[in-house]
Structures are given as C-alpha cells and as structure tokens.
Amino acid sequence: MWIRACSSLWMLGGFLLIIYLGHLYILAMVVVIQIFMASELFNLLRRAHEDKRLPGFRILNWHFYFTAMLFVYGRILSHQLVNTVTSDKIFYKLVSKLIKYQMVICYFLYIAGVMWFILTLKKKMYKYQFGQFAWTHMILIVVFTQSAFTVANIFEGIFWFLLPASLIAVNDVAAYFFGFFFGKTPLIKLSPKKTWEGFIGASVVTTISAFVLANVFGHFQWLTCPRKDLSTGWLLCDPGPLFKPEYYPLPGWLSRWVLPWKEVAILPVQWHALCLSLFASSIAPFGGFFASGFKRAFKIKDFGDSIPGHGGFTDRMDCQMVMAVFAYIYHQSFVVPQDYTVEMIINEILRSLTLEEQQILYTKLGQILQERMENSLHFFSLG
C-alpha cells in the first residue's frame, strides 16, 4: 500500500507538470507510454528458447511498431506539422512532400517487414513465428487505435484529454475505497475484489467530480484552446459558447434560506461532462474486466513491473484506452458543429493545399469577390 501510494503521488506530480508544459509534451508522454505498453505486450508470448533460434525477430516487431507509428501520427499531425514549418520555404516543401507520399512510404516499409518475416521463416518454427506475427498485429491495433484517438483529443484542446483521463482515475480510486470499506457483494467473477458497493459508490463520486472538474478546467484557456501547430507557446483564443457561463435562477426559498446567491453559473460543457462520467463509471470499467480475464488466461498477475506497486503501464491504461476512444467519438458527434464553418474550411485548406496552391486560391477568391461586387454595384446603378 505504501509503495503504491508513493508511486501514485510521483505519477500525479509528473502528470501535472506535463499538462502544464503543454500539448507537445503530452504527446511525448503518450508516445512513451505506448512504447512501454507495446514492450509489455510483446514480451507476453515470448519464449526464450525459440527467440534464441530467431535472431533479429524482436527487431522485426519494432519495425512494424514504428511503421504503424509513422502512419498513424503522420495522418493525425500533418496539419499541425505544416503550420509549424510555414516560415521556412525549403523545409516547408520537404515536409509537404513527406506528407504527400507518407502513405506510400509506410506501405513499402510494411511490405519490407512482411518480406523480412517470410525470409526468416524456419522449419519447425512456423507455428511460433506466425503466432508472433499475428500477436504483433493485434498489439498494433489495440495500442494505436486508442492512442490515435488520444492524440486527436489532445490537439482539440487539453480539456478533452484531461477530463476523461481524470474521470477514470477518480472512478478507480473511489471504487477502491468504497469497495475496501463497504464492499460485501461481488460484482464479477473475473475480478473477485470488485464489489457492487464499490461500483455504485464510484459512479456517484465520478458523476459529481465530472460536473465540478469540467467547471474548473473550463476556466483555463490553456486547457480549452485547440492547438493548430506543434509549437509550445502560450495559447489565447475565443473559448466558444461551450466554455462561457450560462446563468440559472435559483428557487426563491433556496436562495433565501440555504444559499447566499440568487443564480448559479454553469458552463454548457458541464452537461457534456455528465455524459462522459456515465461512460467512465459504467462502461469503461469493462476494459479493466477484459484485462483481468486476459491475465487470468495467461496466468499472470500483471502485464509488467514498470510502475512499483501498480504493475505495468498496460495495467493502468486498460480503462483509459476505452475512455479515450469514446471521448473522441462523443466530441466529434455531439460537440463539434456538424455544419461547415469558416474555420473548418480554412483548416481543410491549410491541411490539403500547398503554400503555392493556397496563394492561387487566394487570388481566385479575390477575383470572384471583385466580380460579384462589380455586378452588385451595376445592378444597384440600374435600379
């Protein structure tokens, strides 16, 4: 318990520092956690005897891993990368070319890995090698699916990364304490220590925490502003209607006898936070149950020992993976405006067109607008 508490405090302190440093450092943290998770999962099905007979097989696993990383992050961060290098014309052209041919580069890197795998096949080792090949691809799907959504959440605004992650942490801690002090009724056979009392108590605490934390986080532009490039500078932006308070009058008896104010200010994003809390407390824990069943199947206690008292990074990320995907889908479905806005069109232009193409578009738009203004003036003069 003491080791677990100390390592939790160290992790919390490091996490808060990285949040303060900003988007790029959070991205770096996600990448580091990814690498630890992949390493833990790669080692899960390894057999030392077979590995000795297959020199270079581990390097092949990491070749597939970094190819997948180049593909996923190249697709997600292309817009931010282009915006970062626009001041240097030569570097801008180089980056634009890399982004344009990124899919081709990744494809041939992957094909090279497959060819490497085929050329290293050995008699009496086929089953083990193909098992490792399939296991590697499953790891890539699991790790990069959730991390891709996590990175997308970060650049939409740290708020959409921090709030879901905080809700999972609150739910875990609350479930532990409610289960420890009040738990009597088992919840699920896969995790005998999980109880209904812990589950219900954690749900209530998580819902209340979501409403409060959304209000606290929503007042900091550093957390709510989206990042359009890969710089680390301070952010200032219009927070938008989601982060502007709306005032609700309180009933007369409540303001007269209980509370000293007549109205209460609520950020619209707090209502969205309640939806996230419902998922974090009722569905995301099944990521943990799945991991528990997985570990039982392989007869292991933890995925690794990277974090003293907690096991491996995979042990801590099981629910976070489920939550990150939901947070992104919820944000895109219910928060982002579904109609095209001027900002969305400009972002698409910056992402898809080169600097020269943007200049041509600017000139064409100027000509079209000038023609329309001349036609309008001509129409009014006739009238």
Side-chain angles (χ1 to χ4, degrees), residues 75-272:
R75 304 296 291 177
I76 294 173
L77 301 177
S78 58
H79 170 51
Q80 285 81 5
L81 187 58
V82 168
N83 283 352
T84 305
V85 300
T86 48
S87 58
D88 189 320
K89 193 170 183 180
I90 296 174
F91 197 42
Y92 174 82
K93 284 185 176 180
L94 176 63
V95 169
S96 298
K97 291 292 182 184
L98 284 174
I99 290 172
K100 183 177 181 180
Y101 298 112
Q102 178 240 4
M103 190 176 289
V104 175
I105 293 168
C106 292
Y107 176 74
F108 279 105
L109 283 172
Y110 178 78
I111 290 299
V114 173
M115 292 169 64
W116 182 359
F117 169 75
I118 293 168
L119 292 172
T120 57
L121 288 172
K122 288 190 176 183
K123 242 181 200 183
K124 298 182 181 180
M125 300 284 290
Y126 295 152
K127 187 175 181 180
Y128 175 75
Q129 287 180 278
F130 276 101
Q132 286 291 319
F133 185 79
W135 179 241
T136 299
H137 283 70
M138 198 200 83
I139 291 169
L140 297 181
I141 292 169
V142 170
V143 172
F144 279 104
T145 297
Q146 64 88 20
S147 63
F149 289 116
T150 301
V151 172
N153 290 338
I154 292 167
F155 284 91
E156 289 290 346
I158 296 175
F159 179 94
W160 298 105
F161 162 77
L162 181 58
L163 181 65
S166 300
L167 294 182
I168 292 297
V170 167
N171 192 72
D172 280 350
V173 173
Y176 176 80
F177 279 102
F178 274 91
F180 184 82
F181 289 107
F182 308 107
K184 292 180 181 178
T185 314
L187 175 63
I188 189 169
K189 290 181 180 179
L190 282 173
S191 298
K193 293 182 181 179
K194 299 286 194 298
T195 63
W196 274 106
E197 291 80 5
F199 185 79
I200 294 169
S203 299
V204 174
V205 172
T206 304
T207 303
I208 296 170
S209 299
F211 201 72
V212 174
L213 289 174
N215 187 283
V216 174
F217 297 160
H219 284 90
F220 294 94
Q221 286 194 22
W222 181 242
L223 301 179
T224 59
C225 291
R227 172 66 77 181
K228 303 296 184 184
D229 55 27
L230 297 179
S231 66
T232 56
W234 199 254
L235 282 172
L236 291 172
C237 66
D238 178 7
L242 273 181
F243 299 101
K244 292 178 180 176
E246 294 178 349
Y247 295 91
Y248 296 86
L250 295 173
W253 62 270
L254 193 63
S255 59
R256 190 178 302 113
W257 301 106
V258 182
L259 297 173
W261 50 81
K262 295 182 179 181
E263 58 184 12
V264 61
I266 296 176
L267 303 180
V269 77
Q270 289 179 257
W271 305 119
H272 291 292

Side-chain angles (χ1 to χ4, degrees), residues 156 241-242 330-344:
E156 289 290 346
L242 273 181
Y330 182 88
H331 180 265
Q332 294 298 312
S333 301
F334 301 107
V335 178
V336 174
Q338 297 303 310
D339 297 327
Y340 283 107
T341 63
V342 173
E343 187 177 358
M344 289 171 67

Side-chain angles (χ1 to χ4, degrees), residues 46 54-66 116:
R46 289 203 185 283
L54 296 168
F57 201 73
R58 286 195 176 197
I59 299 172
L60 180 60
N61 285 342
W62 287 109
H63 169 82
F64 283 122
Y65 176 85
F66 286 109
W116 182 359

